Amino acid sequence: MDNGHVKTDIAEGIATVTFHHPKSNSLPGTILRAMAQAIEDAGKDPEVRVIVLRSEGGKAFCAGASFDELLAIDDADTGREFFSGFALVINAIRKAPVFVIGRVHSKAVGGGVGLAAACDITYAHESASARLSELAIGIGPFVVGPAVERKVGHGPFTLMSTTPATWRSAAWCQLHGLYAEVFGLHAELDNAVLGHARELAGYSRDAMTELKRVAWLGTELWDELLAERAVVSGRLVLSDFTNQAIAAFKEARK
């Protein structure tokens, strides 16, 4: 990929899936689909006992959807296809037969919050504040919403959804279940992720597969649900409000 990448490293039963995009890890459809495929492939490898999802770069863990691609959407089908990217990644994590540990080293925005929420266990740095920014640009956290609500509960999800300009601290995210634990140093974060991954790599894959199935009970219809939500986002993103809001955000970033 000329503009970002996804790579997988496998060692000692641990598959580490790393994504990167130079624009603060704001993700285009190609990266999202590559992430989903990488997670699916890792899950199919019988030697893999656990997957770690992380990103590269010194800025955001994930800044959500690519504004460039959002602005380029000119019909509902293209919009649905784009928002289906996050649905594919969330469902790949959900259906992986092994646990997925998330490493959130910095801020998470929009779809990035959805990725953090979809991971079975997510560890974060104290700088990893989060916000669901979608309402501010005329859409909503429809696709990532089920994953976030499942993790933090209905009340905190509604609060995050309706305060798109407000950053929630990593401590707030830990209190409400989005993060399992928060660390003051990146080295401590890395040690926690690696330590838990190594622990899981020593356990029975079959037992963990069954335990994961129990943990995700009630989400069996998410393939259809997230596809329906992508249709809603794909329709709303065509509005004049959204086009003007995204253009204003891009101008402010210059």
Side-chain angles (χ1 to χ4, degrees):
M1 299 175 189
D2 294 333
N3 208 9
H5 62 257
V6 177
K7 61 183 181 181
T8 303
D9 297 299
I10 300 176
E12 301 178 346
I14 303 168
T16 302
V17 176
T18 305
F19 64 91
H20 176 67
H21 191 275
K23 294 186 177 180
S24 298
N25 288 322
S26 57
L27 302 180
T30 51
I31 297 290
L32 290 167
R33 281 164 174 75
M35 288 171 61
Q37 189 63 57
I39 293 166
E40 182 179 343
D41 290 345
K44 290 178 178 178
D45 186 334
E47 299 301 316
V48 170
R49 295 290 187 272
V50 59
I51 298 170
V52 173
L53 180 65
R54 56 174 293 160
S55 65
E56 291 179 343
K59 295 183 179 179
F61 162 72
C62 176
S66 165
F67 275 6
D68 291 333
E69 284 202 7
L70 284 173
L71 282 174
I73 295 171
D74 57 7
D75 62 74
D77 284 342
T78 304
R80 174 192 54 77
E81 181 73 9
F82 173 74
F83 287 103
S84 293
F86 278 104
L88 288 172
V89 179
I90 291 171
N91 277 322
I93 294 171
R94 174 178 66 88
K95 292 187 284 189
V98 298
F99 288 110
V100 179
I101 298 175
R103 175 193 180 271
V104 181
H105 69 277
S106 189
K107 292 180 177 180
V109 184
V113 180
L115 297 180
C119 292
D120 297 292
I121 308 101
T122 300
Y123 295 110
H125 185 259
E126 64 181 14
S127 65
S129 53
R131 67 185 176 105
L132 290 174
S133 58
E134 290 89 342
L135 189 60
I137 58 171
I139 50 177
F142 299 112
V143 172
V144 303
V148 179
E149 186 173 4
R150 173 179 173 269
K151 240 350 159 25
V152 305
H154 179 73
F157 167 67
T158 301
L159 179 63
M160 292 184 77
S161 299
T162 57
T163 53
T166 301
W167 288 98
R168 305 293 165 183
S169 69
W172 187 95
C173 293
Q174 181 182 5
L175 178 65
H176 292 88
L178 182 63
Y179 302 148
E181 197 167 352
V182 171
F183 300 91
L185 298 174
H186 284 100
E188 294 174 333
L189 170 62
D190 289 335
N191 287 338
V193 170
L194 182 58
H196 198 170
R198 283 177 170 168
E199 178 185 359
L200 290 174
Y203 296 149
S204 162
R205 179 180 163 111
D206 289 341
M208 288 189 289
T209 297
E210 293 301 326
L211 183 57
K212 178 155 181 175
R213 184 176 291 116
V214 170
W216 283 87
L217 280 176
T219 66
E220 293 81 6
L221 299 180
W222 275 24
D223 281 334
E224 295 82 1
L225 174 63
L226 300 194
E228 292 170 0
R229 297 288 186 87
V231 171
V232 176
S233 293
R235 172 174 52 83
L236 290 174
V237 78
L238 298 173
S239 70
D240 290 338
F241 183 99
T242 295
N243 286 328
Q244 293 169 9
I246 294 175
F249 274 125
K250 290 189 68 176
E251 184 64 28
R253 285 182 171 186
K254 290 181 180 179

